[in-house]
Amino acid sequence: MKGKKIIASVFLMALCAGCGNSHQKKETGIITVDVHADYPEKKLMLQDILEVEYIPLETSDEFITQGYVLDIGDRYIVAKNRTPDGDIFLFDRQTGKGIRKINRKGQGAEEYTSIYRIVLDEANDEMFVNCMPMRKIFVYDLEGRFKRSFNHADSASYSVLFNYDREHLISYDMSIYYKEGMPSEGRSSHAIISKQDGSVTRKIPIPFEIVKAPLIQKEGIAINTIQSIVPWHDKFLLIETSTDTVYLSEGNTIRPFLVKTASEDPQILLTMGTMTDRYYFLQTIKKEFDFTTGNGFPRTDLMYDTEEKALYRATVFNADYDKHEVNMNSNPVNGTIAAFNILTADQLVEAYEKDELKGPLKDIAAQLDEDANPVLVVMKYKAKK
């Protein structure tokens, strides 16, 4: 009965969210985004809104990587290559020094065939390797020793995983994308799953009627993955493109957080990006794709200012890198790190030669050659005053 009451209240709140067109409803605090509006521009400096830390990933004969960072903990940074070689690199979180390289790729019972996502669980000295083709999660200790594995629940295909608590992960099942245009039939793509066996502890119901996925099928199939879960301090934003509402999950309850205006032909979807205490970054995605050129899903970066209660088309610059724009709509991490970006060694060497760098980033670039491993830009929440 308790679960039914929670679901019913979510439906009622979602209905209320669609009323009116102000940016923030006084009675509910729900933000409204008009996806057709031409919002004014606003420019910000990254260092004004987040604490910035640079970590050069050590380069050695063993540690040569394209630096596709997958997770950041208190002790480790975990990365892989963009090529499907199966290598997993663990770097020291503070210094960027290479700790170990692990490779468990293969056809055996304890081996993955590819790496889509890795979640660090330092509290349990484990890491969870998500192998999408096998629809399976492999669990290793931080030395690379196999501990267990489990399948994605039912017919799910997990595209997003984050630590939820000591015993659970929070997941998103992207198999719903292939139900484009079909009735919801009570589907729940977000779920809390067990770290021990992958069983679903709790489904997180988000109400919608028809599946509206970031997928276009005409001469072929074009899929644009979106960030469907965004950790924010001790909470999570839940994004489901089939509904106009973004929900905030806190503990065992969810509530509407943001609602967008409806759109048709083409549909305009919405996802959330980096969250700070004052600024909420988000992005609209137009459901268009040119199969002749391979280009599509045009995006518009937006930002909500909680002090001004206003929306803007936002551009964020790195104060240490002249005219360099920062992507504020990718790579969320956890409750202490809002997001991260990667700067490649060759671009930093070129910027250094052009005298475009300042401060610690300039000092790091002075020691690089263009074949070095990339530099990780960690963006942490500012301490509350």
Side-chain angles (χ1 to χ4, degrees):
M1 182 62 73
K2 183 178 179 181
K4 292 182 179 179
K5 287 182 179 178
I6 291 174
I7 294 171
S9 67
V10 168
F11 269 94
L12 288 172
M13 293 178 77
L15 289 172
C16 291
C19 307
N21 59 6
S22 61
H23 288 323
Q24 188 168 27
K25 305 292 185 294
K26 292 181 180 179
E27 67 276 13
T28 64
I30 302 171
I31 302 161
T32 301
V33 179
D34 184 349
V35 295
H36 301 286
D38 184 14
Y39 291 108
E41 294 185 9
K42 191 164 191 173
K43 297 179 180 180
L44 296 170
M45 284 296 175
L46 177 63
Q47 285 79 357
D48 291 337
I49 60 177
L50 290 164
E51 296 289 344
V52 179
E53 178 185 358
Y54 303 110
I55 306 174
L57 302 181
E58 181 190 24
T59 306
S60 67
D61 291 341
E62 184 180 8
F63 290 90
I64 298 175
T65 174
Q66 296 158 342
Y68 186 1
V69 173
L70 294 169
D71 204 358
I72 305 170
D74 293 330
R75 291 180 286 150
Y76 297 103
I77 299 162
V78 62
K80 74 179 186 78
N81 289 321
R82 294 186 183 276
T83 53
D85 56 14
D87 284 343
I88 298 172
F89 299 89
L90 288 179
F91 295 90
D92 183 87
R93 163 69 180 84
Q94 304 303 320
T95 66
K97 180 178 175 58
I99 302 298
R100 68 183 57 91
K101 182 170 73 173
I102 299 164
N103 193 315
R104 300 301 304 265
K105 183 178 180 180
Q107 301 295 326
E110 299 180 359
E111 298 171 322
Y112 48 80
T113 58
S114 67
I115 302 167
Y116 187 79
R117 169 89 175 145
I118 298 177
V119 177
L120 278 174
D121 181 3
E122 294 179 340
N124 293 311
D125 286 317
E126 294 179 341
M127 60 179 172
F128 295 79
V129 178
N130 184 20
C131 180
M132 286 278 281
M134 299 175 71
R135 294 199 300 110
K136 196 168 186 177
I137 294 172
F138 294 83
V139 187
Y140 304 95
D141 68 18
L142 298 182
E143 299 286 334
R145 291 182 289 260
F146 176 80
K147 297 189 71 173
R148 62 190 179 279
S149 64
F150 49 82
N151 295 324
H152 295 184
D154 302 323
S155 58
S157 184
Y158 298 142
S159 59
V160 178
L161 289 171
F162 284 101
N163 260 316
Y164 185 75
D165 58 29
R166 194 177 179 91
E167 291 83 30
H168 302 93
L169 300 167
I170 185 169
S171 65
Y172 180 79
D173 171 17
M174 71 169 289
S175 66
I176 195 172
Y177 286 7
Y178 301 100
K179 307 294 184 181
E180 167 70 13
M182 296 176 63
S184 68
E185 296 179 343
R187 292 183 179 89
S188 295
S189 295
H190 294 85
I192 309 300
I193 63 173
S194 165
K195 288 181 177 178
Q196 291 303 310
D197 60 12
S199 59
V200 176
T201 302
R202 177 166 60 91
K203 291 186 176 181
I204 307 176
I206 292 180
F208 65 91
E209 295 180 358
I210 302 295
V211 176
K212 299 176 183 177
L215 176 147
I216 298 173
Q217 185 169 0
K218 290 183 180 177
E219 299 92 73
I221 297 178
I223 300 177
N224 190 273
T225 56
I226 61 116
Q227 192 60 49
S228 51
I229 302 173
V230 176
W232 181 29
H233 294 299
D234 59 347
K235 303 177 283 290
F236 294 90
L237 291 172
L238 308 180
I239 297 95
E240 173 58 72
T241 56
S242 298
T243 176
D244 293 333
T245 306
V246 172
Y247 289 87
L248 182 69
S249 172
E250 189 169 10
N252 291 327
T253 62
I254 67 169
R255 64 174 178 83
F257 178 78
L258 178 149
V259 63
K260 71 177 181 68
T261 55
S263 62
E264 297 292 340
D265 196 27
Q267 293 174 7
I268 299 177
L269 310 177
L270 182 141
T271 188
M272 302 299 296
T274 304
M275 301 289 290
T276 75
D277 290 325
R278 175 173 175 177
Y279 301 107
Y280 305 157
F281 292 89
L282 52 144
Q283 196 175 63
T284 62
I285 306 163
K286 191 174 290 187
K287 203 168 169 180
E288 291 179 334
F289 192 85
D290 188 334
F291 285 90
T292 60
T293 64
N295 297 320
F297 297 108
R299 296 176 177 238
T300 301
D301 293 335
L302 299 175
M303 178 199 71
Y304 181 75
D305 185 332
T306 61
E307 289 190 7
E308 298 181 8
K309 293 184 170 49
L311 279 152
Y312 296 93
R313 284 184 290 120
T315 306
V316 178
F317 295 94
N318 187 338
D320 295 327
Y321 191 161
D322 188 36
K323 299 179 181 177
H324 181 75
E325 295 184 19
V326 182
N327 182 359
M328 302 301 291
N329 288 285
S330 65
N331 304 325
V333 183
N334 54 39
T336 57
I337 300 173
F340 68 87
N341 281 181
I342 287 291
L343 296 174
T344 62
D346 57 341
Q347 75 179 112
L348 286 175
V349 169
E350 182 180 354
Y352 178 78
E353 292 172 350
K354 292 180 178 179
D355 197 26
E356 295 175 345
L357 304 178
K358 301 174 185 176
L361 192 56
K362 183 175 182 177
D363 296 337
I364 289 171
Q367 306 300 317
L368 295 177
D369 64 62
E370 60 183 13
D371 295 322
N373 285 338
V375 174
L376 178 63
V377 184
V378 179
M379 298 180 282
K380 299 177 289 187
Y381 299 111
K382 282 184 176 287
K384 292 185 178 180
K385 297 179 181 180

